[in-house]
PDB file of all heavy atoms in Angstrom:
ATOM      1  N   VAL A  79     -10.068  -2.474  33.201  1.00 66.00           N
ATOM      2  CA  VAL A  79      -9.362  -3.732  32.974  1.00 66.00           C
ATOM      3  C   VAL A  79      -7.944  -3.602  33.488  1.00 66.00           C
ATOM      4  O   VAL A  79      -7.276  -2.579  33.274  1.00 66.00           O
ATOM      5  CB  VAL A  79      -9.338  -4.077  31.459  1.00 66.00           C
ATOM      6  CG1 VAL A  79      -8.535  -5.348  31.222  1.00 66.00           C
ATOM      7  CG2 VAL A  79     -10.753  -4.240  30.936  1.00 66.00           C
ATOM      8  N   ASP A  80      -7.483  -4.621  34.200  1.00 67.00           N
ATOM      9  CA  ASP A  80      -6.096  -4.656  34.647  1.00 67.00           C
ATOM     10  C   ASP A  80      -5.244  -5.142  33.477  1.00 67.00           C
ATOM     11  O   ASP A  80      -5.158  -6.337  33.210  1.00 67.00           O
ATOM     12  CB  ASP A  80      -5.958  -5.595  35.850  1.00 67.00           C
ATOM     13  CG  ASP A  80      -4.519  -5.668  36.357  1.00 67.00           C
ATOM     14  OD1 ASP A  80      -3.676  -4.887  35.868  1.00 67.00           O
ATOM     15  OD2 ASP A  80      -4.241  -6.512  37.230  1.00 67.00           O
ATOM     16  N   LEU A  81      -4.605  -4.206  32.772  1.00 66.00           N
ATOM     17  CA  LEU A  81      -3.843  -4.566  31.584  1.00 66.00           C
ATOM     18  C   LEU A  81      -2.667  -5.472  31.898  1.00 66.00           C
ATOM     19  O   LEU A  81      -2.232  -6.264  31.059  1.00 66.00           O
ATOM     20  CB  LEU A  81      -3.347  -3.306  30.873  1.00 66.00           C
ATOM     21  CG  LEU A  81      -4.408  -2.370  30.297  1.00 66.00           C
ATOM     22  CD1 LEU A  81      -3.749  -1.202  29.571  1.00 66.00           C
ATOM     23  CD2 LEU A  81      -5.331  -3.122  29.345  1.00 66.00           C
ATOM     24  N   SER A  82      -2.154  -5.377  33.127  1.00 67.00           N
ATOM     25  CA  SER A  82      -0.994  -6.194  33.471  1.00 67.00           C
ATOM     26  C   SER A  82      -1.325  -7.682  33.497  1.00 67.00           C
ATOM     27  O   SER A  82      -0.437  -8.529  33.362  1.00 67.00           O
ATOM     28  CB  SER A  82      -0.428  -5.761  34.836  1.00 67.00           C
ATOM     29  OG  SER A  82      -1.378  -5.982  35.867  1.00 67.00           O
ATOM     30  N   SER A  83      -2.614  -7.999  33.673  1.00 69.00           N
ATOM     31  CA  SER A  83      -3.010  -9.410  33.722  1.00 69.00           C
ATOM     32  C   SER A  83      -3.554  -9.906  32.385  1.00 69.00           C
ATOM     33  O   SER A  83      -3.864 -11.092  32.235  1.00 69.00           O
ATOM     34  CB  SER A  83      -4.064  -9.626  34.811  1.00 69.00           C
ATOM     35  OG  SER A  83      -5.258  -8.912  34.517  1.00 69.00           O
ATOM     36  N   ALA A  84      -3.690  -9.015  31.407  1.00 80.00           N
ATOM     37  CA  ALA A  84      -4.209  -9.402  30.098  1.00 80.00           C
ATOM     38  C   ALA A  84      -3.186 -10.260  29.355  1.00 80.00           C
ATOM     39  O   ALA A  84      -1.974 -10.031  29.457  1.00 80.00           O
ATOM     40  CB  ALA A  84      -4.559  -8.167  29.279  1.00 80.00           C
ATOM     41  N   ALA A  85      -3.679 -11.226  28.602  1.00 86.00           N
ATOM     42  CA  ALA A  85      -2.804 -12.139  27.871  1.00 86.00           C
ATOM     43  C   ALA A  85      -3.000 -11.970  26.370  1.00 86.00           C
ATOM     44  O   ALA A  85      -4.085 -11.614  25.912  1.00 86.00           O
ATOM     45  CB  ALA A  85      -3.093 -13.582  28.277  1.00 86.00           C
ATOM     46  N   PRO A  86      -1.960 -12.229  25.576  1.00 93.00           N
ATOM     47  CA  PRO A  86      -2.090 -12.136  24.114  1.00 93.00           C
ATOM     48  C   PRO A  86      -3.201 -13.032  23.578  1.00 93.00           C
ATOM     49  O   PRO A  86      -3.413 -14.141  24.081  1.00 93.00           O
ATOM     50  CB  PRO A  86      -0.718 -12.603  23.609  1.00 93.00           C
ATOM     51  CG  PRO A  86       0.217 -12.322  24.742  1.00 93.00           C
ATOM     52  CD  PRO A  86      -0.591 -12.565  25.988  1.00 93.00           C
ATOM     53  N   THR A  87      -3.900 -12.553  22.588  1.00 92.00           N
ATOM     54  CA  THR A  87      -4.995 -13.292  21.970  1.00 92.00           C
ATOM     55  C   THR A  87      -4.460 -14.189  20.853  1.00 92.00           C
ATOM     56  O   THR A  87      -3.277 -14.153  20.505  1.00 92.00           O
ATOM     57  CB  THR A  87      -6.017 -12.324  21.373  1.00 92.00           C
ATOM     58  OG1 THR A  87      -5.396 -11.641  20.263  1.00 92.00           O
ATOM     59  CG2 THR A  87      -6.484 -11.307  22.408  1.00 92.00           C
ATOM     60  N   VAL A  88      -5.369 -14.965  20.274  1.00 93.00           N
ATOM     61  CA  VAL A  88      -5.016 -15.748  19.087  1.00 93.00           C
ATOM     62  C   VAL A  88      -4.452 -14.824  18.007  1.00 93.00           C
ATOM     63  O   VAL A  88      -3.454 -15.133  17.344  1.00 93.00           O
ATOM     64  CB  VAL A  88      -6.239 -16.510  18.548  1.00 93.00           C
ATOM     65  CG1 VAL A  88      -5.954 -17.104  17.177  1.00 93.00           C
ATOM     66  CG2 VAL A  88      -6.663 -17.601  19.526  1.00 93.00           C
ATOM     67  N   GLY A  89      -5.071 -13.663  17.859  1.00 95.00           N
ATOM     68  CA  GLY A  89      -4.617 -12.713  16.853  1.00 95.00           C
ATOM     69  C   GLY A  89      -3.198 -12.252  17.079  1.00 95.00           C
ATOM     70  O   GLY A  89      -2.396 -12.158  16.131  1.00 95.00           O
ATOM     71  N   HIS A  90      -2.855 -11.930  18.323  1.00 95.00           N
ATOM     72  CA  HIS A  90      -1.482 -11.527  18.631  1.00 95.00           C
ATOM     73  C   HIS A  90      -0.490 -12.645  18.300  1.00 95.00           C
ATOM     74  O   HIS A  90       0.601 -12.393  17.776  1.00 95.00           O
ATOM     75  CB  HIS A  90      -1.348 -11.162  20.113  1.00 95.00           C
ATOM     76  CG  HIS A  90      -2.041  -9.894  20.495  1.00 95.00           C
ATOM     77  ND1 HIS A  90      -3.319  -9.882  21.024  1.00 95.00           N
ATOM     78  CD2 HIS A  90      -1.656  -8.594  20.421  1.00 95.00           C
ATOM     79  CE1 HIS A  90      -3.674  -8.627  21.265  1.00 95.00           C
ATOM     80  NE2 HIS A  90      -2.685  -7.830  20.907  1.00 95.00           N
ATOM     81  N   LYS A  91      -0.883 -13.868  18.601  1.00 95.00           N
ATOM     82  CA  LYS A  91       0.010 -15.003  18.357  1.00 95.00           C
ATOM     83  C   LYS A  91       0.223 -15.234  16.865  1.00 95.00           C
ATOM     84  O   LYS A  91       1.330 -15.571  16.430  1.00 95.00           O
ATOM     85  CB  LYS A  91      -0.547 -16.248  19.039  1.00 95.00           C
ATOM     86  CG  LYS A  91      -0.567 -16.132  20.569  1.00 95.00           C
ATOM     87  CD  LYS A  91      -1.283 -17.302  21.227  1.00 95.00           C
ATOM     88  CE  LYS A  91      -1.343 -17.126  22.738  1.00 95.00           C
ATOM     89  NZ  LYS A  91      -2.105 -18.215  23.402  1.00 95.00           N
ATOM     90  N   VAL A  92      -0.829 -15.027  16.062  1.00 96.00           N
ATOM     91  CA  VAL A  92      -0.679 -15.171  14.616  1.00 96.00           C
ATOM     92  C   VAL A  92       0.239 -14.071  14.082  1.00 96.00           C
ATOM     93  O   VAL A  92       1.097 -14.324  13.228  1.00 96.00           O
ATOM     94  CB  VAL A  92      -2.043 -15.139  13.906  1.00 96.00           C
ATOM     95  CG1 VAL A  92      -1.862 -15.111  12.388  1.00 96.00           C
ATOM     96  CG2 VAL A  92      -2.887 -16.349  14.315  1.00 96.00           C
ATOM     97  N   CYS A  93       0.061 -12.847  14.573  1.00 97.00           N
ATOM     98  CA  CYS A  93       0.943 -11.749  14.152  1.00 97.00           C
ATOM     99  C   CYS A  93       2.401 -12.104  14.420  1.00 97.00           C
ATOM    100  O   CYS A  93       3.279 -11.887  13.571  1.00 97.00           O
ATOM    101  CB  CYS A  93       0.580 -10.465  14.890  1.00 97.00           C
ATOM    102  SG  CYS A  93      -1.013  -9.736  14.431  1.00 97.00           S
ATOM    103  N   LYS A  94       2.673 -12.648  15.596  1.00 96.00           N
ATOM    104  CA  LYS A  94       4.040 -13.049  15.951  1.00 96.00           C
ATOM    105  C   LYS A  94       4.540 -14.143  15.024  1.00 96.00           C
ATOM    106  O   LYS A  94       5.693 -14.108  14.555  1.00 96.00           O
ATOM    107  CB  LYS A  94       4.045 -13.554  17.401  1.00 96.00           C
ATOM    108  CG  LYS A  94       5.328 -14.270  17.849  1.00 96.00           C
ATOM    109  CD  LYS A  94       6.521 -13.347  17.858  1.00 96.00           C
ATOM    110  CE  LYS A  94       7.694 -13.944  18.638  1.00 96.00           C
ATOM    111  NZ  LYS A  94       8.145 -15.266  18.180  1.00 96.00           N
ATOM    112  N   GLU A  95       3.694 -15.128  14.705  1.00 96.00           N
ATOM    113  CA  GLU A  95       4.097 -16.222  13.830  1.00 96.00           C
ATOM    114  C   GLU A  95       4.398 -15.718  12.422  1.00 96.00           C
ATOM    115  O   GLU A  95       5.354 -16.167  11.767  1.00 96.00           O
ATOM    116  CB  GLU A  95       2.991 -17.284  13.780  1.00 96.00           C
ATOM    117  CG  GLU A  95       3.323 -18.506  12.946  1.00 96.00           C
ATOM    118  CD  GLU A  95       4.405 -19.384  13.546  1.00 96.00           C
ATOM    119  OE1 GLU A  95       4.698 -19.228  14.754  1.00 96.00           O
ATOM    120  OE2 GLU A  95       4.965 -20.204  12.807  1.00 96.00           O
ATOM    121  N   LEU A  96       3.608 -14.753  11.949  1.00 97.00           N
ATOM    122  CA  LEU A  96       3.838 -14.192  10.621  1.00 97.00           C
ATOM    123  C   LEU A  96       5.172 -13.453  10.558  1.00 97.00           C
ATOM    124  O   LEU A  96       5.861 -13.473   9.525  1.00 97.00           O
ATOM    125  CB  LEU A  96       2.691 -13.255  10.241  1.00 97.00           C
ATOM    126  CG  LEU A  96       1.333 -13.928  10.013  1.00 97.00           C
ATOM    127  CD1 LEU A  96       0.241 -12.888   9.820  1.00 97.00           C
ATOM    128  CD2 LEU A  96       1.386 -14.874   8.814  1.00 97.00           C
ATOM    129  N   LEU A  97       5.550 -12.815  11.657  1.00 97.00           N
ATOM    130  CA  LEU A  97       6.877 -12.210  11.739  1.00 97.00           C
ATOM    131  C   LEU A  97       7.961 -13.285  11.688  1.00 97.00           C
ATOM    132  O   LEU A  97       8.960 -13.164  10.965  1.00 97.00           O
ATOM    133  CB  LEU A  97       7.028 -11.412  13.035  1.00 97.00           C
ATOM    134  CG  LEU A  97       6.469  -9.996  13.091  1.00 97.00           C
ATOM    135  CD1 LEU A  97       6.489  -9.492  14.530  1.00 97.00           C
ATOM    136  CD2 LEU A  97       7.278  -9.044  12.211  1.00 97.00           C
ATOM    137  N   ASP A  98       7.760 -14.336  12.455  1.00 95.00           N
ATOM    138  CA  ASP A  98       8.768 -15.391  12.573  1.00 95.00           C
ATOM    139  C   ASP A  98       9.070 -16.062  11.239  1.00 95.00           C
ATOM    140  O   ASP A  98      10.220 -16.430  10.967  1.00 95.00           O
ATOM    141  CB  ASP A  98       8.322 -16.442  13.590  1.00 95.00           C
ATOM    142  CG  ASP A  98       8.399 -15.942  15.021  1.00 95.00           C
ATOM    143  OD1 ASP A  98       9.025 -14.882  15.254  1.00 95.00           O
ATOM    144  OD2 ASP A  98       7.819 -16.601  15.912  1.00 95.00           O
ATOM    145  N   ILE A  99       8.041 -16.254  10.409  1.00 95.00           N
ATOM    146  CA  ILE A  99       8.258 -16.959   9.142  1.00 95.00           C
ATOM    147  C   ILE A  99       8.582 -15.999   7.995  1.00 95.00           C
ATOM    148  O   ILE A  99       8.771 -16.433   6.868  1.00 95.00           O
ATOM    149  CB  ILE A  99       7.045 -17.837   8.767  1.00 95.00           C
ATOM    150  CG1 ILE A  99       5.804 -16.972   8.489  1.00 95.00           C
ATOM    151  CG2 ILE A  99       6.765 -18.869   9.851  1.00 95.00           C
ATOM    152  CD1 ILE A  99       4.624 -17.773   7.977  1.00 95.00           C
ATOM    153  N   GLY A 100       8.640 -14.696   8.300  1.00 96.00           N
ATOM    154  CA  GLY A 100       9.070 -13.738   7.292  1.00 96.00           C
ATOM    155  C   GLY A 100       8.004 -13.217   6.367  1.00 96.00           C
ATOM    156  O   GLY A 100       8.316 -12.548   5.379  1.00 96.00           O
ATOM    157  N   LEU A 101       6.736 -13.494   6.656  1.00 97.00           N
ATOM    158  CA  LEU A 101       5.660 -12.945   5.833  1.00 97.00           C
ATOM    159  C   LEU A 101       5.255 -11.544   6.271  1.00 97.00           C
ATOM    160  O   LEU A 101       4.552 -10.833   5.546  1.00 97.00           O
ATOM    161  CB  LEU A 101       4.442 -13.873   5.853  1.00 97.00           C
ATOM    162  CG  LEU A 101       4.549 -15.109   4.959  1.00 97.00           C
ATOM    163  CD1 LEU A 101       3.295 -15.964   5.081  1.00 97.00           C
ATOM    164  CD2 LEU A 101       4.773 -14.725   3.500  1.00 97.00           C
ATOM    165  N   VAL A 102       5.671 -11.139   7.458  1.00 98.00           N
ATOM    166  CA  VAL A 102       5.488  -9.770   7.949  1.00 98.00           C
ATOM    167  C   VAL A 102       6.852  -9.272   8.412  1.00 98.00           C
ATOM    168  O   VAL A 102       7.608 -10.015   9.053  1.00 98.00           O
ATOM    169  CB  VAL A 102       4.458  -9.719   9.104  1.00 98.00           C
ATOM    170  CG1 VAL A 102       4.509  -8.378   9.829  1.00 98.00           C
ATOM    171  CG2 VAL A 102       3.057  -9.977   8.565  1.00 98.00           C
ATOM    172  N   GLN A 103       7.162  -8.019   8.096  1.00 98.00           N
ATOM    173  CA  GLN A 103       8.458  -7.453   8.474  1.00 98.00           C
ATOM    174  C   GLN A 103       8.378  -6.475   9.650  1.00 98.00           C
ATOM    175  O   GLN A 103       9.370  -6.260  10.335  1.00 98.00           O
ATOM    176  CB  GLN A 103       9.093  -6.753   7.272  1.00 98.00           C
ATOM    177  CG  GLN A 103       9.768  -7.684   6.291  1.00 98.00           C
ATOM    178  CD  GLN A 103       8.808  -8.637   5.605  1.00 98.00           C
ATOM    179  OE1 GLN A 103       7.760  -8.218   5.104  1.00 98.00           O
ATOM    180  NE2 GLN A 103       9.139  -9.915   5.587  1.00 98.00           N
ATOM    181  N   HIS A 104       7.219  -5.862   9.872  1.00 98.00           N
ATOM    182  CA  HIS A 104       7.125  -4.872  10.956  1.00 98.00           C
ATOM    183  C   HIS A 104       5.676  -4.729  11.403  1.00 98.00           C
ATOM    184  O   HIS A 104       4.755  -4.886  10.598  1.00 98.00           O
ATOM    185  CB  HIS A 104       7.652  -3.509  10.489  1.00 98.00           C
ATOM    186  CG  HIS A 104       7.947  -2.549  11.606  1.00 98.00           C
ATOM    187  ND1 HIS A 104       9.093  -2.618  12.357  1.00 98.00           N
ATOM    188  CD2 HIS A 104       7.231  -1.515  12.110  1.00 98.00           C
ATOM    189  CE1 HIS A 104       9.091  -1.655  13.273  1.00 98.00           C
ATOM    190  NE2 HIS A 104       7.957  -0.967  13.148  1.00 98.00           N
ATOM    191  N   ILE A 105       5.503  -4.443  12.683  1.00 98.00           N
ATOM    192  CA  ILE A 105       4.183  -4.148  13.248  1.00 98.00           C
ATOM    193  C   ILE A 105       4.205  -2.738  13.816  1.00 98.00           C
ATOM    194  O   ILE A 105       5.104  -2.377  14.581  1.00 98.00           O
ATOM    195  CB  ILE A 105       3.807  -5.137  14.370  1.00 98.00           C
ATOM    196  CG1 ILE A 105       3.688  -6.565  13.812  1.00 98.00           C
ATOM    197  CG2 ILE A 105       2.479  -4.723  15.032  1.00 98.00           C
ATOM    198  CD1 ILE A 105       3.448  -7.621  14.884  1.00 98.00           C
TER     199      ILE A 105
END
Side-chain angles (χ1 to χ4, degrees):
V79 177
D80 180 8
L81 296 183
S82 63
S83 64
T87 67
V88 169
H90 290 95
K91 295 173 183 177
V92 173
C93 291
K94 168 65 165 56
E95 183 69 16
L96 292 173
L97 278 169
D98 288 347
I99 65 174
L101 282 179
V102 167
Q103 280 64 48
H104 196 79
I105 296 175

